[in-house]
Amino acid sequence: MLAGKGLLGARPKQGTFVRPEEARNLFDPDVLRRLIERRSSVVLLRRFSEPRIAVAVGLERMRSAEISDDDALEADVAFHVAVLRASNNPFFSQFRDAVATALSASIGDHAAVADAILARDGAAAHAAMETLIAKVLDLIVTSVEQGGGDAGRG
């Protein structure tokens, strides 16, 4: 059970060992409860809230960009990077450059993703991302068909 929560590991000829904090399943209710009970719970709660705040700030920048109060591309990249970082997955975080080159979708699509994430509705966030990505892929296909890109290169 403790291994499943990311707290302990075991290896042949090495025995059982305590895993580093970044390996722990912070969303497991038991792990989260224990962490909150520790004296450093204020730091943990701040860290827990930072991804949600970053997504909201990114969306707010996009709204500002829509009325020319912010750079549209920078705001769009900031939103996507915040979502990728909120995943706490280093592979997703490295999508930044790919995301920066492929951004074309509307503020409404981004707002639907952000709203679903903030509401902790994984199914709605997934559906909103599928819609957003489908629109971007359609734009890429249209661009390639019109001679704006090189299909088959990679």
Side-chain angles (χ1 to χ4, degrees):
M1 181 179 80
L2 294 176
K5 295 176 183 295
L7 299 172
L8 296 178
R11 290 196 180 117
K13 298 185 181 181
Q14 290 183 348
T16 303
F17 56 92
V18 176
R19 295 188 65 199
E21 190 168 310
E22 63 268 7
R24 297 175 185 162
N25 180 359
L26 299 177
F27 294 105
D28 180 282
D30 294 329
V31 174
L32 187 57
R33 184 174 34 260
R34 296 280 184 196
L35 289 171
I36 290 172
E37 290 170 356
R38 289 183 6 196
R39 291 175 54 188
S40 62
S41 64
V42 173
V43 172
L44 175 72
L45 291 173
R46 188 187 82 226
R47 287 183 181 161
F48 185 72
S49 298
E50 284 173 348
R52 296 177 9 201
I53 292 167
V55 170
V57 168
L59 181 61
E60 201 52 46
R61 283 193 63 193
M62 288 180 64
R63 287 185 175 133
S64 293
E66 198 171 53
I67 58 173
S68 301
D69 286 345
D70 200 342
D71 179 85
L73 181 58
E74 285 181 22
D76 205 9
V77 170
F79 172 80
H80 284 84
V81 168
V83 170
L84 293 171
R85 285 187 179 144
S87 75
N88 206 21
N89 182 320
F91 294 98
F92 287 160
S93 295
Q94 291 187 12
F95 280 135
R96 183 194 182 282
D97 293 336
V99 166
T101 60
L103 297 175
S104 303
S106 74
I107 186 72
D109 293 328
H110 288 87
V113 173
D115 291 344
I117 289 171
L118 293 172
R120 298 175 155 249
D121 186 343
H126 184 265
M129 277 306 300
E130 281 184 338
T131 299
L132 197 150
I133 290 168
K135 288 181 180 181
V136 170
L137 290 175
D138 286 345
L139 289 169
I140 292 168
V141 168
T142 300
S143 175
V144 169
E145 288 174 351
Q146 294 174 354
D150 292 328
R153 277 196 167 173

